[in-house]
Amino acid sequence: MSPRRNRPKGAGPFGRSAEEDGSGRYGGWQSTESWQGEEWSVRHVAGASAQGKAYRCPGCDQLIPDGVPHVVAWPEHSGVDERRHWHKACWNAKDRRTTRVRRSRNAPRF
């Protein structure tokens, strides 16, 4: 008697088919979301894939240190120049934020 299959036929090693699995070289998964009337590609980046790189989150204007899991988002119609790295919480709260980011007096302006 053969063991029971827990995954549907054609699924990859993690239970998703190749079409559903948007994981790429950054160790996360990719999806499409609608925001401000546009379609956005959203990729979740694992912390191990972000080693040696620091980014500035456009949601809170704070640094995302290297090795921290985060989200990369860009409009569907644009190229790689429009990619932005967000904290996961900032991306999830993007609709609740004001249009102007308020910095403290001693915050860097870059």
Side-chain angles (χ1 to χ4, degrees):
M1 182 173 193
S2 63
R4 184 178 137 199
R5 279 186 90 107
N6 289 330
R7 288 181 237 122
K9 288 184 178 181
F14 300 110
R16 294 182 183 168
S17 65
E19 294 82 26
E20 293 174 6
D21 186 35
S23 64
R25 71 182 242 209
Y26 298 109
W29 53 273
Q30 185 171 333
S31 63
T32 303
E33 295 183 21
S34 181
W35 181 47
Q36 294 181 342
E38 288 186 87
E39 292 297 315
W40 288 69
S41 293
V42 180
R43 179 176 290 152
H44 295 262
V45 179
S49 301
Q51 290 292 345
K53 304 169 197 158
Y55 303 101
R56 184 160 300 273
C57 175
C60 65
D61 201 38
Q62 300 295 313
L63 280 179
I64 302 172
D66 64 336
V68 172
H70 60 278
V71 173
V72 180
W74 66 96
E76 282 277 325
H77 67 277
S78 65
V80 292
D81 294 338
E82 297 296 317
R83 287 185 301 188
R84 297 294 175 258
H85 297 255
W86 296 69
H87 292 105
K88 287 183 181 183
C90 293
W91 177 255
N92 292 337
K94 63 191 175 296
D95 294 326
R96 296 187 303 265
R97 293 189 176 277
T98 62
T99 56
R100 184 168 179 233
V101 175
R102 296 180 185 243
R103 296 184 178 107
S104 64
R105 276 185 247 202
N106 58 355
R109 300 230 174 233
F110 56 87

